[in-house]
């Protein structure tokens, strides 16, 4: 018995903000040296991102009109974790519901046997899973699993759990919901380069996926194989921790080099069990953790940039939304599948704290 992805839904907050506007927010409201201003502008321009979305209006507003940040010089007193989590609790549910409604359409919510929620940008209890059950009219006895604080690769773990559920239980129907409000965790200590990198990359978004043991749609994607690897030497190069003023990201400039070092071994291990080669892959779904990461993967796999169009498009239009991002990329591929794509293979990749490398192979059914 296998497990099949049969539907996608994605959602974005209403505030669409250009990279130029976000850079302007930093340069206008923080007391930066001329050297730091120049460095910040260079990082933002080189990001490969045109726009991102946020639940916060402030990134498009002028001092005096802020609703979340203080209308004061240097944004003091800077919002603490409690204030950020209050916004998360309200906005994460609304965004998740938008994604789910797109995903399930007119399907009866009572048909779902399992619910998996994924997030690393906010926590509360009873949590998002509880609120989704109430808001969607899911069964009160639905089996719930929460995957928290794993970062950009977390959707892979949700898909693995869903696959195990569907493989073990005939008739299972799993709803996965990933939501991240990264813009709530803007940090202003730009003396550290990784803080500037994080501020330049991350946006807000949500994605939902249905996984079934008996596919009801064409096309669908069967989950053929997964493989994970850890590059322990990169443990400190990508981290995610809770500070006094929001969640704090460490994102060093060495991450692309670490990904480059481990990517071939990761993919060879994934494909070995299925007796496949990279040349057997028709579509690539690569998490756009950053422009440089996409470039080094293309170099290592020997694939043209054109094969990675979905990832570049998501990066350009939405930035890195952490866990939902790979589902945005997969949805882009899914919506363009045609009859001749039957049996074609899709390679998925994502990366996160650890340094964790995740891979999966999907087949169009």
């Amino acid at each position: 018995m296998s497990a099949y992805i049969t539907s996608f839904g994605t959602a974005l907050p209403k505030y669409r903000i250009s990279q130029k506007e976000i850079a302007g927010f930093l340069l206008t409201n923080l007391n930066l040296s001329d050297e730091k201003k120049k460095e910040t502008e260079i990082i933002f321009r080189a990001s490969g991102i045109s726009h991102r979305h946020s639940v916060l209006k402030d990134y498009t507003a002028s001092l005096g009109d802020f609703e979340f940040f203080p209308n004061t010089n240097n944004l003091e007193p800077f919002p603490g974790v409690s204030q950020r989590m209050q916004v998360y609790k309200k906005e994460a549910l609304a965004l998740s519901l938008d994604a789910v409604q797109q995903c399930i359409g007119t399907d009866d919510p009572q048909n779902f046997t399992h619910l998996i929620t994924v997030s690393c940008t906010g926590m509360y209890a009873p949590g998002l899973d509880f609120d989704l059950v109430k808001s969607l009219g899911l069964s009160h006895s639905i089996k719930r699993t929460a995957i928290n604080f794993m970062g950009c690769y977390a959707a892979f773990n949700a898909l693995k759990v869903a696959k195990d559920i569907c493989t073990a239980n005939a008739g299972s129907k799993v709803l996965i919901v990933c939501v991240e409000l990264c813009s709530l965790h803007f940090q202003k200590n730009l003396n550290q380069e990784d803080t500037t990198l994080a501020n330049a990359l991350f946006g807000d978004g949500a994605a939902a996926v249905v996984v079934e043991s008996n596919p009801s749609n064409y096309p669908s994607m069967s989950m053929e194989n997964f493989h994970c690897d850890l590059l322990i030497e990169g443990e400190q190069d990508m981290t995610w921790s809770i500070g006094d003023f929001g969640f704090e990201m460490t994102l060093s400039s060495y991450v692309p080099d670490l990904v480059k070092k481990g990517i071939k071994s990761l993919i060879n291990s994934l494909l070995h069990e299925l007796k496949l080669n990279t040349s057997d892959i028709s579509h690539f779904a690569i998490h756009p953790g950053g422009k440089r990461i996409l470039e080094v993967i293309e170099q290592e796999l020997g694939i043209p940039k054109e094969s990675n169009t979905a990832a570049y498009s998501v990066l350009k239009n939405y930035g890195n939304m952490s866990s939902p991002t790979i589902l945005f990329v997969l949805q882009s591929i899914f919506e363009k599948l045609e009859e001749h794509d039957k049996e074609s293979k899709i390679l998925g990749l994502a990366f996160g704290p650890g340094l964790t490398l995740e891979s999966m192979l999907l087949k169009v059914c």
Side-chain angles (χ1 to χ4, degrees):
M1 189 181 300
S2 189
Y4 303 84
I5 300 172
T6 59
S7 183
F8 289 87
T10 53
L12 297 157
K14 66 179 179 179
Y15 298 111
R16 181 175 182 262
I17 315 158
S18 71
Q19 279 291 79
K20 186 176 181 180
E21 286 178 299
I22 301 174
F25 174 87
L26 297 179
L27 301 179
T28 302
N29 295 295
L30 302 183
N31 297 322
L32 304 178
S33 66
D34 289 342
E35 181 181 356
K36 183 55 67 173
K37 286 181 179 180
K38 184 176 181 180
E39 177 187 309
T40 299
E41 289 175 332
I42 290 171
I43 289 173
F44 271 69
R45 282 200 304 268
S47 66
I49 298 170
S50 172
H51 290 81
R52 289 180 275 164
H53 290 72
S54 175
V55 296
L56 299 178
K57 165 189 169 184
D58 294 12
Y59 295 111
T60 63
S62 301
L63 186 65
D65 294 323
F66 294 161
E67 296 179 352
F68 178 73
F69 295 107
N71 285 282
T72 60
N73 181 48
N74 213 28
L75 307 180
E76 289 292 343
F78 205 44
V81 173
S82 176
Q83 184 178 344
R84 297 173 196 248
M85 291 303 94
Q86 289 173 23
V87 177
Y88 175 89
K89 184 174 182 180
K90 174 186 174 185
E91 300 291 349
L93 175 61
L95 200 59
S96 297
L97 289 173
D98 284 349
V100 171
Q101 294 296 351
Q102 288 189 42
C103 183
I104 69 174
T106 58
D107 201 351
D108 185 352
Q110 292 285 317
N111 290 336
F112 289 93
T113 59
H114 298 75
L115 171 65
I116 302 173
T117 55
V118 180
S119 191
C120 71
T121 50
M123 290 183 243
Y124 61 96
L128 179 64
D129 56 333
F130 181 89
D131 288 341
L132 285 170
V133 169
K134 288 195 305 176
S135 300
L136 293 169
L138 300 169
S139 169
H140 288 188
S141 60
I142 194 170
K143 298 177 178 65
R144 296 173 288 144
T145 301
I147 296 176
N148 297 321
F149 224 68
M150 300 194 82
C152 296
Y153 66 91
F156 277 64
N157 284 314
L159 291 169
K160 289 179 192 177
V161 171
K163 180 183 180 183
D164 288 345
I165 290 168
C166 290
T167 301
N169 303 281
S172 294
K173 192 165 187 173
V174 184
L175 176 62
I176 297 173
V177 182
C178 298
V179 61
E180 305 290 5
L181 306 185
C182 304
S183 70
L184 289 181
H185 300 291
F186 160 72
Q187 298 295 312
K188 65 174 189 171
N189 180 17
L190 301 190
N191 291 321
Q192 300 177 2
E193 183 183 357
D194 50 8
T195 301
T196 305
L197 283 171
N199 286 337
L201 287 176
F202 289 94
D204 301 351
V209 173
V210 174
V211 178
E212 305 178 63
S213 54
N214 300 308
S216 55
N217 296 0
Y218 174 79
S220 63
M221 300 174 175
S222 69
M223 291 185 273
E224 299 291 297
N225 200 18
F226 289 87
H227 185 73
C228 173
D229 201 358
L230 296 178
L231 299 180
I232 301 299
E233 63 268 35
E235 182 179 1
Q236 300 304 317
D237 288 282
M238 189 186 295
T239 66
W240 189 230
S241 58
I242 301 176
D244 293 334
F245 301 99
F247 298 0
E248 299 172 355
M249 166 68 78
T250 298
L251 186 64
S252 86
S253 58
Y254 295 106
V255 169
D257 293 331
L258 290 165
V259 171
K260 181 177 181 179
K261 177 181 177 181
I263 198 69
K264 278 189 178 178
S265 174
L266 177 79
I267 293 172
N268 289 339
S269 298
L270 172 76
L271 299 178
H272 176 73
E273 292 180 34
L274 301 174
K275 296 181 173 59
L276 296 173
N277 299 306
T278 309
S279 58
D280 297 312
I281 306 301
S282 300
H283 306 281
F284 294 86
I286 301 174
H287 169 70
K291 181 180 175 183
R292 179 64 183 147
I293 287 178
L294 296 178
E295 291 172 346
V296 298
I297 291 174
E298 290 161 9
Q299 293 166 11
E300 286 301 290
L301 299 187
I303 61 174
K305 184 175 180 178
E306 292 72 26
S307 297
N308 214 5
T309 301
Y312 280 106
S313 177
V314 169
L315 180 66
K316 179 182 179 181
N317 293 299
Y318 316 122
N320 182 349
M321 299 165 284
S322 193
S323 67
T325 316
I326 188 63
L327 301 181
F328 274 70
V329 176
L330 276 173
Q331 182 189 41
S332 176
I333 295 170
F334 186 79
E335 290 177 343
K336 294 172 182 162
L337 292 175
E338 299 178 356
E339 188 73 22
H340 64 80
D341 286 305
K342 277 187 178 179
E343 303 299 313
S344 64
K345 311 296 190 302
I346 302 168
L347 175 64
L349 300 170
F351 324 97
L355 188 80
T356 302
L357 306 178
E358 286 281 358
S359 64
M360 66 180 172
L361 188 75
L362 308 176
K363 183 176 73 173
V364 179
C365 301

